[in-house]
Amino acid sequence: GMPATTPAAAIHGGSTPRQRKVIATLADLAEAVEGAALDSPMTTIVGSVVELSEALDWFQGGARKDSGVEDDDTFRLARA
């Protein structure tokens, strides 16, 4: 299996206005999900890609400044 220190994320309601996520290690993910009271269904992502979460947080608006997209209409279409 993968090391207990591997980054992991659980996402409920992905790409909807009700999206919620938790990020933890594999060892702590179940506890983090329970603590955040995330409901099923949820998507689980495991591995180093989880470390890109903040940079790629396009749905919550976090990637706007780093997206390279200057035009507001284009950015809204990219998020649709």
Side-chain angles (χ1 to χ4, degrees), residues 11-20 39 41-43 59-60:
I11 305 163
H12 169 76
S15 296
T16 73
R18 298 179 346 155
Q19 177 175 305
R20 295 176 58 217
D39 294 326
M42 69 182 76
T43 301
F59 187 74
Q60 300 298 330

Side-chain angles (χ1 to χ4, degrees), residues 15 19 53-64 75 78-80:
S15 296
Q19 177 175 305
S53 176
E54 294 302 315
L56 300 176
D57 196 6
W58 64 270
F59 187 74
Q60 300 298 330
R64 169 59 193 214
F75 189 73
R79 291 181 56 191

